[in-house]
Amino acid sequence: MNTSIFSQACILPSAIIDLSAKVAESGQITITDRCVLRTALLENSLSEDEQLLLNRMLYAVRRGRLALVNEF
């Protein structure tokens, strides 16, 4: 059986909120953070508030306020 980790992942309701707080504090989005965000987007499981947080994170990346790092 060849299943992907992403197909088995389950995003907890508070995961995006916790993730956004961690990212805001560190100023960095790690590879793991990006995988969590990608999984949540692919599952269409984001609430309106979580979508707003994600949009704010993307805006901060575009403005250089958050850095994408190649660390786990």
Side-chain angles (χ1 to χ4, degrees):
M1 187 162 119
N2 187 10
T3 58
S4 169
I5 284 178
F6 297 114
S7 66
Q8 297 175 357
C10 179
I11 304 299
L12 299 173
S14 65
I16 302 300
I17 295 169
D18 294 341
L19 177 66
S20 66
K22 180 184 86 71
V23 166
E25 184 177 314
S26 70
Q28 299 178 338
I29 299 178
T30 65
I31 293 171
T32 304
D33 299 337
R34 294 191 300 258
C35 288
V36 169
L37 294 172
R38 182 182 321 124
T39 301
L41 285 170
L42 291 173
E43 289 180 351
N44 292 322
S45 64
L46 295 176
S47 68
E48 190 173 322
D49 289 338
E50 291 170 329
Q51 290 175 8
L52 181 61
L53 287 172
L54 177 58
N55 287 337
R56 287 181 180 178
M57 283 189 274
L58 293 173
Y59 182 79
V61 169
R62 286 194 308 265
R63 294 291 181 204
R65 296 182 187 130
L66 290 178
L68 298 176
V69 295
N70 291 326
E71 300 172 358
F72 291 94

